[in-house]
Amino acid sequence: MTASWRARLRRLRFALFSAGAALVILLGVLAGLTQLAMPWLIHHPQHVEHWLSARLQRPVSIAHLSGRWVGGGPLLALDGVRIGTASTGQSTLAIPHAELAFDLYALFRRNRAVSEFRLSGLELGLVDEAGGWHLRGLEFGSTGNAEQPFSLGALGALEISDLTLDVVDAQRGLNLRLAAPVMRLLNRGATTRVLARVRMADAPESPPLDVVADLDLNARSGDLYVGGRDIDLGRFAGGQAPAGIEFAAGHGAVQLWAHVDAARVDDVRLRVDLRDARFGAASPLEVDAGTVVAPRVGYDRLAFVARWLRDADGWTFDLADFVAGSDAAATPARLTVERRGDDARPRWRAGARAFPLQPPGDFAMLADALPAGLRRWLYLAHPRGTLVQAEFAWNDAADYELSGELRGIGFASADFAPGIGHLDLDLHGDAQALLLQLPRQPLRIDSPRIFRRPLAFAQFGGDVVVRRAEGAWNIATDRVGFEGEGYGGELRGRLELR
């Protein structure tokens, strides 16, 4: 290194040191002046009212003001705060106690602000209605319009302690009451950053969820993250039963990312990895005249990643890496569903790979939206199997195609419905006909109300064609072969059902 470069570095170090020293001195002078000005501010609350009004962009009145020095700046205690003016037709927000804090060293601290407005004990609501999400509880503004979002104006940050938040989506049966010891809203210009850790209000000892959001409150748009890596699902759910399904137990990770545009959710991503997951039915199930049960299902591990994405012509749902059970060698399942077009003529596309049939059947059995008879059959029959691959395309009732490979289909006998031990089946069809291909395979059919013993076939297979014509279903085959113990044969013919 040459002498000239050494000299330049010495001058740079000296300049940086001088700038840092000057900044420290300036902050010290500001701190001293602020301490001297505090008694004057306490005796002249109208100046604080004016300062807050300018930053919140709304009239502010204060009944009583006191203050003290805390940490890096003054802390003003405000009692009887009212934001907005009812006499001019505005809706107002009354706050029994608030604090206005200044931190001169906030520039050197992460997620801190020079000026902070602190509230306590607010009860807010986040409600999905009229096609969008709306915040209730901070409804004040220059027009008195309850839809006007809360704005921080020129205030650095808003801190709300002992917050209660009700999340309500009546259409989906969601009603959560959350509690946050502290929620911070940081002013980033057009964007407001939200930081909090929340729990169910009635389960204060449960592990918290982290909440991080960057929101444009005026446009009601932004990005949101909610999640935790060690969630106690049973305690956090707090008895909630969306669609009639109770979250009884489960420990692990639940993480959600969402993008909101104009109060509409456009992109949702979900990651779940739970161990010892248990679910129950909120509504009991009558098995027979003298037996009523509360069904439950459980999985040693329940894991998946999912994404729902809205676009200009519809939406797409993707489910990947789906695992439900303890088989580490099982191939993770995948499912894709697309909806395009308008409500009058929707178009559907779907595909699946290695998808197990038992978990959807389990959750359908728990849900109260299904007819009682179907729930009862799912409970007694316990269907299982794997959808190795499937493709489905629907434009309308006269234009659709489907294909699929099902392996290991089985379900128990329930009432007069027979049971099947193991069945492999291939499907190919469109609006004209459906082809069912049964590879030659052993097959067991159990129907105790009809046959005293199960029908056990050493070989069973063939092709069956189903078509609808002239208001009737036609089922035909040119050959279905079967071989049992001491008997065998082939089936050929056609059956018409009207």
Side-chain angles (χ1 to χ4, degrees):
M1 182 179 294
T2 64
S4 61
W5 275 105
R6 292 192 183 95
R8 291 175 184 175
L9 288 178
R10 282 196 298 269
R11 287 195 294 269
L12 178 61
R13 287 196 299 267
F14 179 77
L16 292 175
F17 177 79
S18 300
L23 181 60
V24 171
I25 294 172
L26 177 61
L27 290 176
V29 171
L30 289 175
L33 293 176
T34 305
Q35 284 183 307
L36 293 174
M38 186 183 300
W40 180 83
L41 286 174
I42 293 175
H43 290 90
H44 297 82
Q46 66 272 16
H47 294 284
V48 178
E49 293 175 346
H50 177 74
W51 189 90
L52 275 176
S53 298
R55 277 144 185 81
L56 292 176
Q57 300 172 7
R58 294 163 177 85
V60 176
S61 62
I62 302 171
H64 180 263
L65 175 64
S66 61
R68 65 185 187 277
W69 190 271
V70 176
L75 175 66
L76 303 178
L78 318 177
D79 295 310
V81 180
R82 185 174 295 274
I83 304 176
T85 306
S87 60
T88 59
Q90 298 176 343
S91 58
T92 62
L93 177 66
I95 305 170
H97 179 78
E99 293 179 344
L100 181 59
F102 298 89
D103 186 355
L104 301 180
Y105 306 116
L107 297 175
F108 308 104
R109 299 177 182 178
R110 184 181 180 187
N111 290 328
R112 307 298 295 183
V114 174
S115 59
E116 296 187 4
F117 192 43
R118 299 173 181 174
L119 311 178
S120 178
L122 288 186
E123 294 190 5
L124 306 181
L126 190 60
V127 183
D128 185 10
E129 58 185 12
W133 287 92
H134 305 271
L135 182 65
R136 305 300 187 209
L138 289 176
E139 296 145 344
F140 60 92
S142 59
T143 64
N145 185 359
E147 297 302 318
Q148 180 177 346
F150 179 74
S151 172
L152 293 179
L155 198 64
L158 173 65
E159 181 177 288
I160 306 174
S161 58
D162 297 327
L163 170 68
T164 301
L165 177 65
D166 292 313
V167 183
V168 180
D169 185 348
Q171 182 179 357
R172 296 171 179 82
L174 179 64
N175 190 355
L176 297 177
R177 189 170 181 83
L178 305 176
V182 177
M183 175 178 286
R184 292 180 56 79
L185 286 75
L186 305 177
N187 195 343
R188 298 290 185 261
T191 302
T192 300
R193 167 157 287 190
V194 181
L195 304 171
R197 307 192 80 185
V198 301
R199 295 178 172 88
M200 291 297 294
D202 57 357
E205 301 302 322
S206 63
L209 288 178
D210 297 322
V211 178
V212 180
D214 289 316
L215 306 174
D216 183 340
L217 296 177
N218 291 316
R220 292 192 291 178
S221 303
D223 297 301
L224 168 69
Y225 166 80
V226 180
R229 297 181 179 274
D230 187 22
I231 299 300
D232 185 338
L233 187 63
R235 296 182 65 180
F236 190 88
Q240 294 292 313
I245 301 175
E246 293 181 343
F247 299 86
H251 292 78
V254 178
Q255 297 173 290
L256 181 144
W257 296 262
H259 176 74
V260 181
D261 186 15
R264 286 201 325 170
V265 179
D266 283 344
D267 189 351
V268 179
R269 305 182 189 197
L270 178 64
R271 174 182 174 266
V272 173
D273 193 345
L274 298 172
R275 60 188 183 277
D276 299 325
R278 301 291 181 266
F279 305 90
S283 56
L285 180 62
E286 184 177 356
V287 178
D288 54 43
T291 306
V292 177
V293 299
R296 286 186 170 244
V297 298
Y299 307 97
D300 293 337
R301 182 180 181 225
L302 179 65
F304 61 86
V305 291
R307 183 182 187 185
W308 183 87
L309 177 65
R310 189 199 307 270
D311 58 31
D313 194 34
W315 53 261
T316 302
F317 173 76
D318 286 306
L319 179 69
D321 299 333
F322 180 81
V323 176
S326 57
D327 187 1
T331 302
R334 185 178 182 89
L335 174 69
T336 299
V337 179
E338 296 181 3
R339 184 191 187 276
R340 297 292 182 267
D342 53 25
D343 293 338
R345 290 197 59 184
R347 303 187 306 275
W348 297 88
R349 300 289 184 273
R353 296 289 185 276
F355 201 84
L357 301 181
Q358 180 182 335
D362 288 343
F363 285 106
M365 179 263 297
L366 298 177
D368 53 14
L370 259 65
L374 180 55
R375 290 184 62 204
R376 181 175 179 276
W377 181 83
L378 290 171
Y379 175 79
L380 295 174
H382 194 59
R384 58 198 178 277
T386 302
L387 191 58
V388 176
Q389 72 84 23
E391 299 290 340
F392 176 72
W394 170 282
N395 294 320
D396 54 47
D399 183 11
Y400 65 87
E401 295 180 353
L402 63 89
S403 65
E405 298 179 16
L406 293 96
R407 296 294 181 264
I409 300 174
F411 44 85
S413 173
D415 296 332
F416 288 97
I420 295 177
H422 186 284
L423 178 67
D424 295 339
L425 174 65
D426 295 336
L427 300 173
H428 305 277
D430 54 25
Q432 282 69 47
L434 176 65
L435 172 63
L436 289 77
Q437 296 178 310
L438 298 167
R440 291 183 63 85
Q441 60 192 296
L443 179 64
R444 175 190 174 98
I445 300 177
D446 186 12
S447 184
R449 296 203 177 192
I450 301 176
F451 304 105
R452 289 184 299 175
R453 293 189 303 172
L455 297 177
F457 298 99
Q459 294 292 328
F460 189 97
D463 297 339
V464 177
V465 176
V466 181
R467 68 174 70 241
R468 184 171 177 83
E470 299 179 356
W473 288 100
N474 293 283
I475 303 174
T477 178
D478 60 356
R479 180 183 178 278
V480 172
F482 60 91
E483 296 180 7
E485 185 178 349
Y487 62 90
E490 294 182 350
L491 298 175
R492 291 187 176 88
R494 182 170 68 89
L495 177 65
E496 185 175 287
L497 301 177
R498 290 186 177 272

